[in-house]
């Protein structure tokens, strides 16, 4: 057995050409930390009696492998080939390039974040987006916080604390990441009053539940699941007169919150925020980074009467968005002034509405670019399939799409998936029916060069 004393000392390793070269390119502290990792790993393996080479070329190689992982940023770009457009784990909505100048202005210099240029006095950070939100939704007023969960928490705390929030049993949903509507209600100091049964809730169920303790009517978009069969929920529209009659605010958590009617693209049953407000809903909350296609944010629009207590509440200070979010949100919302521009420039909307014919054309071009460059043994074909919006939008909707079916003799779909996931620019695909597939609908056009480069080097990836 090799003895522990055969393990090289740190100083000796620092003189090795590979390590010396790394010192020129990386901070000394990082190089030292990586050397220690290599040495600790060697010690552990030796103590376990496992075979191990302590030769310079082998340890240098280990050093480079660990250095590559540690030197790379953790939050990195990936190519989304899953077909899930609003992918929670892959960062939900990719921002439009059109907001880059907004981000630039806010990020690298001083800005008008809370400064009124007209008077030279203090301004309000929410004034950058509130007028746009009013313009786009027809709302009387608007507020922005960090995410939709925060928006709900603020509404319940400020409007319903110590009183009952009435919600249909069929809408007590859990959204990804352990976020449950009943928890938010309780966290806001409100008492959850469940209305109706799991599959059916009627207007009279709400009527019977209303009493002196009632504080608010809450309607939650079912988002990530759908009820089929013997079901009934009361529409927001039908709850409006009930709220008015009892002077209770009606709050709709719209989840995704669409600003544009997408019915003509086959995406139905997702009322726009404006439609909710026109139906008489008092407050609507929604996310900035789902169907809207902007940054993570929680948007609250509706009647000033109910927004006023939110503006005064100390919780708002804790939930307020930062300048980068506001810059990206303002940039995204401005695109919505022209529907054609929004559809062309906002990646989520583009991906939702791009035609199969266009995807097929893109797929054929990709095949041509790769034809003579795929490593031997690998083969690539186009095939039909379906994509899903994801992110708690339209759970039953599946959109026809074009998939790249990648295969290789002697390489299982799992191995293929693993190899591309660990590529220098990770490519995330899916395995379905024993095949490794990449959905072109969610591969951004600007990601195509990455995809081509990764597929060309498939043979050399580990
Ligand atoms: C996604 C979602 C939320 C949570 O929104 P975040 O912006 O992730 O906090 C709340 N309610 C519904 C109905 C949702 O779909």
């Amino acid at each position: 057995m090799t003895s522990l004393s055969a393990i090289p000392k740190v100083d000796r390793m620092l003189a090795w050409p590979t390590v010396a070269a790394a010192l020129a390119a990386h901070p000394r502290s990082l190089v030292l930390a990586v050397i220690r990792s290599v040495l600790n790993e060697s010690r552990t393996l030796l103590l376990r009696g496992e075979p191990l080479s302590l030769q310079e070329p082998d340890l240098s190689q280990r050093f480079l492998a660990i250095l590559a992982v540690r030197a790379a940023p953790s939050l990195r770009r990936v190519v989304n080939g899953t077909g899930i457009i609003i992918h929670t784990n892959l960062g939900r909505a990719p921002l439009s390039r059109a907001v880059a100048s907004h981000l630039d202005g806010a990020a690298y210099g001083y800005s008008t974040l809370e400064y009124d240029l007209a008077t030279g006095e203090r301004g309000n950070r929410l004034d950058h987006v509130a007028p746009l939100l009013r313009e786009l939704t027809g709302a009387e007023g608007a507020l922005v916080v960090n995410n939709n969960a925060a928006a709900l928490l603020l509404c319940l705390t400020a409007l319903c604390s110590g009183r009952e929030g009435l919600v249909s049993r069929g809408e007590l949903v859990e959204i990804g990441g352990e976020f449950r509507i009943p928890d938010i209600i309780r966290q806001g100091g409100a008492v959850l009053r469940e209305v109706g049964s799991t599959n059916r809730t009627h207007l009279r169920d709400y009527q019977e539940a209303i009493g002196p303790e009632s504080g608010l009517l809450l309607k939650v978009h079912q988002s990530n699941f759908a009820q089929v069969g013997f079901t009934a929920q009361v529409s927001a529209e039908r709850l409006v007169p009930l709220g008015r009659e009892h002077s209770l605010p009606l709050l709709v958590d719209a989840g995704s919150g669409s600003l544009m009617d997408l019915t003509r693209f086959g995406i139905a049953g997702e009322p726009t925020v404006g439609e909710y407000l026109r139906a008489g809903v008092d407050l609507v909350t929604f996310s900035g980074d789902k169907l809207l296609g902007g940054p993570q944010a929680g948007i609250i629009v509706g009647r000033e009467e109910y927004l006023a207590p939110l503006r005064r509440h100390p919780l708002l200070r804790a939930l307020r968005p930062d300048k980068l979010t506001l810059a990206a949100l303002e940039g995204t919302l401005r695109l919505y002034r022209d529907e054609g521009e929004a559809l062309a420039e906002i990646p989520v909307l583009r991906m939702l509405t791009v035609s199969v014919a266009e995807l097929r054309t893109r797929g054929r071009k990709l095949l041509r670019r790769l034809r003579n460059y795929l490593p031997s043994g690998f083969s690539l074909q186009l095939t039909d399939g379906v994509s899903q919006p994801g992110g708690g939008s339209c759970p039953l909707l599946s959109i026809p799409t074009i998939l790249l079916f990648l295969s290789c003799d002697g390489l299982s779909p799992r191995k293929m998936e693993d190899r591309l996931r660990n590529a220098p620019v990770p490519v995330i695909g899916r395995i379905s029916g024993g095949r490794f597939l990449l959905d072109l609908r969610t591969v951004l056009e600007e990601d195509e060069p990455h995809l081509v480069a990764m597929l060309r080097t498939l043979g050399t990836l580990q």
Side-chain angles (χ1 to χ4, degrees):
M1 191 181 121
T2 322
S3 98
L4 286 178
S5 60
I7 296 178
K9 296 276 173 289
V10 174
D11 284 346
R12 214 179 102 217
M13 275 186 78
L14 279 169
W16 290 353
T18 320
V19 180
L23 269 177
H26 299 279
R28 189 178 176 86
S29 60
L30 174 64
V31 172
L32 285 173
V34 172
I35 291 179
R36 287 197 197 97
S37 295
V38 174
L39 298 182
N40 284 339
E41 187 184 86
S42 307
R43 207 166 294 127
T44 311
L45 289 175
L46 280 183
L47 288 173
R48 275 205 228 127
E50 292 187 29
L52 170 71
S53 155
L54 293 173
Q55 299 302 307
E56 176 177 336
D58 298 310
L59 286 185
S60 291
Q61 209 171 17
R62 268 313 284 154
F63 169 84
L64 285 179
I66 297 177
L67 180 67
V69 172
R70 294 262 200 106
S74 169
L75 185 55
R76 289 161 67 192
R77 186 176 194 118
V78 302
V79 176
N80 176 8
T82 65
I84 298 168
I85 297 171
I86 303 164
H87 197 302
T88 304
N89 304 135
L90 302 184
R92 284 203 189 159
L95 288 179
S96 167
R97 283 279 168 204
V99 312
S101 62
H102 289 79
L103 281 171
D104 227 42
Y108 301 108
Y110 295 100
S111 65
T112 55
L113 183 66
E114 293 190 353
Y115 188 76
D116 185 345
L117 282 177
T119 62
E121 283 166 21
R122 184 178 175 170
N124 184 326
R125 66 174 62 210
L126 295 183
D127 286 350
H128 303 291
V129 290
L132 270 167
L133 285 165
R134 288 201 301 268
E135 179 186 318
L136 295 169
T137 64
E140 218 174 85
L143 265 182
V144 179
V145 289
N146 280 326
N147 51 38
N148 191 20
L152 277 174
L153 179 65
L154 179 63
C155 290
L156 283 150
T157 311
L159 301 173
C160 193
S161 186
R163 288 188 289 158
E164 288 179 355
L166 279 68
V167 198
S168 163
R169 281 213 168 85
E171 296 173 3
L172 293 173
V173 299
E174 172 178 315
I175 293 114
E178 306 285 296
F179 166 87
R180 290 182 169 168
I181 293 292
D183 296 337
I184 287 280
I185 294 175
R186 289 189 201 102
Q187 189 62 43
V191 180
L192 170 66
R193 177 74 192 254
E194 299 180 25
V195 177
S197 65
T198 303
N199 59 331
R200 289 173 74 83
T201 300
H202 306 278
L203 191 62
R204 63 167 186 279
D205 294 321
Y206 286 93
Q207 280 161 338
E208 283 162 14
I210 290 179
E213 302 300 314
S214 308
L216 176 145
L217 302 178
L218 173 61
K219 177 144 184 78
V220 183
H221 189 291
Q222 287 177 331
S223 288
N224 50 3
F225 80 112
Q227 289 186 314
V228 292
F230 188 57
T231 67
Q233 294 295 335
V234 182
S235 71
E237 207 166 352
R238 288 179 63 217
L239 287 176
V240 168
L242 193 66
R244 292 278 152 85
E245 185 189 332
H246 297 274
S247 301
L248 293 173
L250 170 60
L251 167 65
V252 169
D253 169 11
S256 226
S258 173
L259 292 185
M260 193 189 290
D261 186 359
L262 296 168
T263 322
R264 76 197 128 122
F265 300 105
I267 299 154
E270 190 77 39
T272 66
V273 174
E275 277 165 354
Y276 280 122
L277 293 172
R278 282 193 291 284
V281 170
D282 297 305
L283 291 177
V284 183
T285 75
F286 54 103
S287 296
D289 56 348
K290 289 186 181 171
L291 271 181
L292 185 76
Q296 178 188 306
I299 300 167
I300 312 170
V301 293
R303 291 174 53 193
E304 263 315 321
E305 174 190 347
Y306 296 117
L307 288 170
L310 311 191
R311 292 187 204 285
R312 286 193 302 266
H313 201 281
L315 197 51
L316 180 61
R317 176 63 177 77
L319 303 177
R320 71 180 190 181
D322 84 311
K323 59 187 177 186
L324 294 184
T325 300
L326 289 168
L329 186 59
E330 182 181 13
T332 308
L333 290 172
R334 282 162 64 96
L335 296 171
Y336 276 96
R337 284 178 158 160
D338 178 335
E339 281 206 1
E341 203 182 352
L343 286 167
E345 298 288 340
I346 297 177
V348 166
L349 296 182
R350 249 192 80 67
M351 289 188 268
L352 266 175
T353 58
V354 65
S355 70
V356 174
E358 190 179 332
L359 290 176
R360 190 170 285 121
T361 307
R362 275 176 61 192
R364 289 197 178 128
K365 273 199 198 130
L366 274 174
L367 287 195
R368 272 200 299 279
R369 283 167 72 186
L370 282 161
R371 186 174 299 143
N372 299 318
Y373 296 96
L374 273 188
S376 68
F378 285 88
S379 86
L380 199 55
Q381 274 170 264
L382 295 186
T383 164
D384 295 316
V386 288
S387 341
Q388 286 172 343
S393 317
C394 330
L396 291 187
L397 179 70
S398 18
I399 316 169
T401 195
I402 298 294
L403 308 163
L404 287 178
F405 164 33
L406 182 63
S407 59
C408 176
D409 304 332
L411 197 66
S412 70
R414 282 248 147 262
K415 286 249 168 62
M416 184 87 78
E417 190 271 338
D418 189 270
R419 205 177 267 203
L420 279 170
R421 178 161 38 80
N422 288 294
V425 179
V427 176
I428 316 295
R430 66 172 194 245
I431 295 170
S432 169
R435 299 187 303 173
F436 178 76
L437 303 165
L438 292 168
D439 190 329
L440 282 182
R441 186 174 289 280
T442 51
V443 175
L444 300 172
E445 269 154 286
E446 62 176 74
D447 276 336
E448 279 183 10
H450 294 306
L451 179 60
V452 168
M454 294 309 113
L455 292 179
R456 281 182 179 185
T457 55
L458 259 174
T460 59
L461 297 175
Q462 293 296 310

